[in-house]
Amino acid sequence: MGIEERIDQLLARMTPAEKVGQMRQIAGSGDDDTEALIRQGGAGSFLNVLGEQAAAYQRLAVEESRLGIPLLFGRDVIHGFRTIFPIPLGQAASFDPGLVREAARIAAREAAAAGVHWTFAPMVDIARDPRWGRIAEGCGEDPYLAACLGAAMVQGFQGSDLRDPERIAACAKHYVGYGAAEGGRDYNTTYIPEGLLRDVYLPPFEACVRAGAATLMSAFNNLNGVPATGNAFTLRKVLKGEWAFDGLVVSDWNSVIEMIAHGCAADEREAALCAVAAGVDMEMTSAAFAGHLESLLAEGRLPLELIDEAVRRILRIKLRLGLFDDPYRRNTAVPLAPEHLEAARQAARESCVLLKNDGLLPLASTVGRVAVVGPLANDGGEQLGCWAFDGRAEDSVTPLAALSAALGEERVRYAPGLDDCRSCGERLIPAAVAAAREADVVLAFLGEDAGLSGEAHSRAFLDLPGTQQQLLDALAATGRPVAVVVMAGRPLTLEPVAEKANAVLLAWHPGTMGGPAIADLLLGVASPSGRLPATMPRTVGQVPLYYNRMNTGRPPRGDAPCVTTGTPLDPVRHYATYLDVDHRPLFPFGYGLTYSTFTYSDLELSTRELKLGEALTVAATVTNTGRARATEVAQLYVRDLVASLARPVRELKGFQRVELAPGEAARVRFALHTDDLSFHNAEMRRVTEPGRFQLWVGPDARGGLQGQFEVVE
Ligand code: BGC
């Protein structure tokens, strides 16, 4: 019997109470009442219940409830389970879908072994504002990159068959617009015009749906006045209608009843009605559905078809996971297996972005004494990042441990310099300076602890917290060469760091194997290959700052810096700049150095006239002109020069990692179809308008070889 038939049969036997029960997700393990509830068929899913407890609940559901419908166990497995990978923003810096897919596969494997069926990942919220703490959990500012990587994560979690006990169901979140929170303040209001929503915020979700994502989560935010959890336009019209999504939609934690605080529902009853009508199938944590849907049905305020549709979607996922046949599904994967740790090390290596290097890195093998400074050099917990629920500090290999192992303890001297990275004290600085004086090179680990990013952890300032800059200034004043490794959950304003340091490596929160990965890079065992998935501003005053912006009618002229930082001046001319700071980012989207140098040459377009519905090939030669084997990430950008609506100055349309030996060259090729050039016009139709286009193939969103072509009818 097929899945839909089995669902029909179940629905025919279910009472309204049992149907509503399926729509309830309960957080954590409860008490005797919970057990009674499960026996009555009053719960469809749990989150954050694992192992034996989960198995015991499952037994109650399967053996002691009237219809024996299995429970679905969900958990936030965001960037690893026990083996923690770099935070998603760090993984995004790899520009490597294969790596990201593998990280999700391993996370799924370890989580499924502990009884998890369903993860609340990937998060594919576009974030153009690094003040927003949850930028750490997503793929950054670009819809194309987030779509590629989000789809890869879905494939990694789910594989090709959800019944595989090594795989778990994915959940693309937070649908939608959550990352556009005003002022970067978490949970804040969002205003996103429909065209921007469709061109920038929706595509990563659509890519996840196309990749087979079993579920989606409705977000906390109010989108254009309508809470995302009560938003019939995004949920029913776009997701379930236009995209024909047939999986389940779960609300975010309490987001159903938060519609009361939003001012869009008078009470829990109205909130429940609004959410179900809009297309939410399962309520996470709060119990407005459980409390009110039955009576709303009885009163005729809620059609039974809506409930049946929601329950059908929930049962469909349970059936696809094979839970009816194997409710206790598990695998025997060992957490922290050597191949998992090796993959985490590789992921951490690929996620690090080298921002500055005057030649100090990689350190020569003959390097003498090394002073390792900074509280983040030896903190196994903080390096795990913001969503490492099941990660353990004691599993981590810290940079200090890895460097000591690689160089020999006698060559490494550690001085924390500060009690922790938020500390405002100066007490430990003199000892760090003394260690620096005795060393040939200083490695300073600075940045943010894991608790400074993630949910409800937004910041108004983006500089180094506490007295870290003071510590760095004091280290630099010794005259010893200083390499700074920045650990952070977001792009920080690193101009004062880059000014003082000889080299800056952005390592994000690199996970369990962050230490060995960073040591590999510092010591030249591998060359950095990460690229920025989000623009790095000079100052928080420039935010929001993102590369795929519109041009304005008065674009800043060329690359000439407008004024000196911090000095308010009269505008020389009336252009879209600032009076008191350079309008350009410190480092653009896509930027990252390696231990080599690369040139781009011989740009070739297969045609200069592209017919609507056809594709052209763009090719260029990338040559490693330096002295180290390294990986370049070649990027393709386009600009629609004249259109019925203003179009961004650049949009990423392709990227390719190419590893080359010194002197070696490779031809990179990108296919560009006219559909890739489409956008939503004023009537909200997706169109590619004939006309001239510019393209670039290059190392980041700032440079590149330029070409032009024309789209013709
Ligand atoms: C977060 C979600 C998460 C959920 C369950 C919420 O607070 O916004 O991202 O999946 O909690 O833990």
Side-chain angles (χ1 to χ4, degrees), residues 342-364:
E342 189 45 43
R345 182 176 186 156
Q346 178 64 12
R349 268 190 207 136
E350 285 193 26
S351 71
C352 290
V353 186
L354 184 63
L355 297 173
K356 175 182 176 182
N357 188 16
D358 69 359
L360 174 64
L361 297 180
L363 299 179

Side-chain angles (χ1 to χ4, degrees), residues 345 398-399 402-404 406 445 505 514-526:
R345 182 176 186 156
T398 67
L403 286 162
S404 304
F445 289 80
L505 183 72
I518 291 169
D520 288 343
L521 297 174
L522 295 177
L523 301 174
V525 175

Side-chain angles (χ1 to χ4, degrees), residues 14 38 50 63 71 89 97 103 105-106 147 158 164 232 261 270 277 303 306 349 359 448 562 594 629 640 678:
M14 290 171 84
I38 298 171
L50 282 182
E63 293 177 22
L71 295 164
L89 188 63
R105 184 188 71 79
I106 290 170
Q158 297 194 162
D164 182 346
E270 293 297 322
L306 285 188
R349 268 190 207 136
E448 294 181 329
C562 51
T594 67
R629 168 171 279 278
D640 188 343
S678 64

Side-chain angles (χ1 to χ4, degrees), residues 47 76 120 134 173-174 217 220 252-253 284 387 455:
L47 77 154
D76 292 279
F120 305 119
R134 301 198 82 171
K173 71 185 188 185
H174 306 83
M217 184 186 291
F220 286 129
D252 203 346
W253 183 286
M284 182 187 281
W387 253 128
E455 186 176 353

Side-chain angles (χ1 to χ4, degrees), residues 510-559:
T512 309
M513 294 299 280
I518 291 169
D520 288 343
L521 297 174
L522 295 177
L523 301 174
V525 175
S527 169
S529 61
R531 300 292 186 268
L532 289 177
T535 304
M536 290 197 84
R538 287 167 199 275
T539 161
V540 74
Q542 295 175 306
V543 167
L545 189 68
Y546 49 94
Y547 85 94
N548 47 356
R549 62 187 165 79
M550 302 297 177
N551 203 28
T552 81
R554 295 184 175 189
R557 279 272 177 96
D559 266 357

Side-chain angles (χ1 to χ4, degrees), residues 95 144 148 600-607 610 614-622 632-638 651-658 666-674 676 695-700 704-705 709:
F95 279 63
Y144 178 79
C148 294
Y600 287 75
S601 61
D602 303 317
L603 181 71
E604 196 183 12
L605 279 64
S606 59
T607 177
L610 181 61
E614 294 187 354
L616 67 78
T617 309
V618 187
T621 300
V622 181
E632 174 69 351
V633 182
Q635 299 159 40
L636 169 71
Y637 294 91
V638 300
E651 290 178 288
L652 184 70
K653 295 294 171 186
F655 56 84
Q656 249 176 66
R657 290 172 60 90
V658 245
R667 199 89 180 127
V668 291
R669 280 193 179 74
F670 301 96
L672 193 59
H673 192 275
T674 54
D676 302 330
L695 64 75
W696 296 260
V697 176
D700 56 40
L705 301 173
F709 65 96

